[in-house]
Amino acid sequence: MHQKNFIFVLLAMTFAVFQYSCSSSPAPEQTVAENNSSDFVLVTDRVPDAILEIRYYSTYNFVGARIDGYLAPVALLTKRAADSLRAVSDDVKAMGYRLKIYDAYRPQMAVDHFMRWGADLADTAMRPYFYPNVDKSRLFELGYIAEQSGHSRGSTVDLTLFDMNTEKELDMGGTFDWFGHESHPDCGGNSETMEYRTNDTITATQFANRMILRAAMLRHGFKPYDCEWWHFTLKDEPYPDTYFKFPVEILKK
């Protein structure tokens, strides 16, 4: 193989790995606060219009069981993130939508549960629903499961839009926690310019719906994640280096 051709192939392979992997950036040095929930609030106290479907409290998730640390079907966030989310809610409500939340703060014990599940290659009960095109043995390699999650810092939320006119979720062309390229915000178009690109994965309407959510979140201080259209983190998060451990439960006043 000529040197130029070899370099081209190598670059193409490298691009493919980055395109289809969702590895997180290296975790910074962090402190772990055992049970300090003093700066957290129930999302519904700050965003009363929010609809909750806390997947990790239920058994309908990629593990197929209630996840450790989810003691109540509630969503928690830092006060700063919750206040910013209220602004998003007010914004989309004026357009006829409500926020539907799948997950917010996630304790480290839940992430540890994911790690144990990922190491048990025999447990593939939920594969048809969440990762039919990915072998479970590759979930760590591709970055779908990691030792730490930004959710544990308390200012990250997984959500979608609920259309009050149709009384259904907006069709985003993919489901929450789907392990695959279809979940990438740029699947079907340019997520930066919000321009649709004709493709055989999602429709122009589905892409536009993703961009409605994305634009609203960005307008109110959240930043997106390259591999999940539903995942946003407050840019000015108050605890960028802290991973909390207290459980998801109704907070005591």
Side-chain angles (χ1 to χ4, degrees):
M1 182 182 294
H2 293 297
Q3 185 177 12
K4 288 184 177 179
N5 289 337
F6 174 78
I7 293 174
F8 176 80
V9 171
L10 181 61
L11 289 173
M13 291 174 65
T14 302
F15 173 77
V17 169
F18 279 102
Q19 182 181 18
Y20 292 102
S21 298
C22 290
S23 299
S24 302
S25 55
E29 292 184 8
Q30 70 278 349
T31 59
V32 177
E34 293 289 341
N35 291 299
N36 183 9
S37 60
S38 60
D39 196 31
F40 284 71
V41 293
L42 288 168
V43 170
T44 48
D45 282 350
R46 300 295 175 97
V47 191
D49 294 323
I51 299 169
L52 303 186
E53 186 182 332
I54 307 303
R55 288 285 185 87
Y56 301 139
Y57 180 80
S58 76
T59 60
Y60 184 61
N61 54 60
F62 63 87
V63 174
R66 182 180 296 178
I67 305 304
D68 291 354
Y70 285 80
L71 305 185
V74 297
L76 307 179
L77 282 174
T78 61
K79 295 173 183 176
R80 188 182 301 174
D83 287 342
S84 295
L85 195 64
R86 172 60 186 266
V88 177
S89 178
D90 291 344
D91 195 344
V92 300
K93 187 177 179 181
M95 295 185 276
Y97 306 118
R98 287 170 66 181
L99 299 180
K100 183 172 183 178
I101 298 173
Y102 296 117
D103 194 33
Y105 162 69
R106 182 185 307 164
Q108 183 61 43
M109 69 184 82
V111 179
D112 296 341
H113 190 164
F114 293 164
M115 292 290 290
R116 293 193 304 274
W117 171 83
D120 181 4
L121 298 183
D123 183 356
T124 57
M126 302 303 284
R127 182 177 182 184
Y129 311 104
F130 294 96
Y131 54 104
N133 304 319
V134 181
D135 190 276
K136 187 175 180 180
S137 65
R138 301 193 65 209
L139 295 182
F140 289 104
E141 168 194 345
L142 295 175
Y144 293 117
I145 303 174
E147 293 181 1
Q148 291 180 320
S149 169
H151 281 274
S152 301
R153 302 194 300 264
S155 296
T156 293
V157 60
D158 293 336
L159 76 175
T160 189
L161 293 175
F162 186 91
D163 189 330
M164 294 302 293
N165 292 318
T166 64
E167 298 183 352
K168 296 179 180 178
E169 293 178 25
L170 271 191
D171 182 359
M172 299 295 191
T175 59
F176 168 67
D177 261 357
W178 177 267
F179 294 165
H181 180 65
E182 298 83 359
S183 293
H184 292 203
D186 61 359
C187 178
N190 186 324
S191 59
E192 297 301 321
T193 63
M194 300 190 179
E195 296 178 12
Y196 177 68
R197 178 182 65 253
T198 302
N199 67 97
D200 58 2
T201 304
I202 67 174
T203 67
T205 298
Q206 291 166 337
F207 182 77
N209 289 343
R210 293 184 180 196
M211 295 303 104
I212 293 172
L213 174 63
R214 181 186 180 95
M217 296 297 286
L218 267 60
R219 277 196 296 272
H220 297 287
F222 289 88
K223 59 184 179 181
Y225 176 44
D226 290 342
C227 295
E228 298 172 351
W229 59 259
W230 57 81
H231 177 119
F232 296 88
T233 299
L234 189 68
K235 288 182 181 179
D236 187 25
E237 59 180 312
Y239 301 101
D241 303 324
T242 302
Y243 292 75
F244 294 90
K245 285 189 173 183
F246 62 88
V248 175
E249 59 185 347
I250 297 175
L251 298 176
K252 297 178 182 178
K253 300 294 185 178

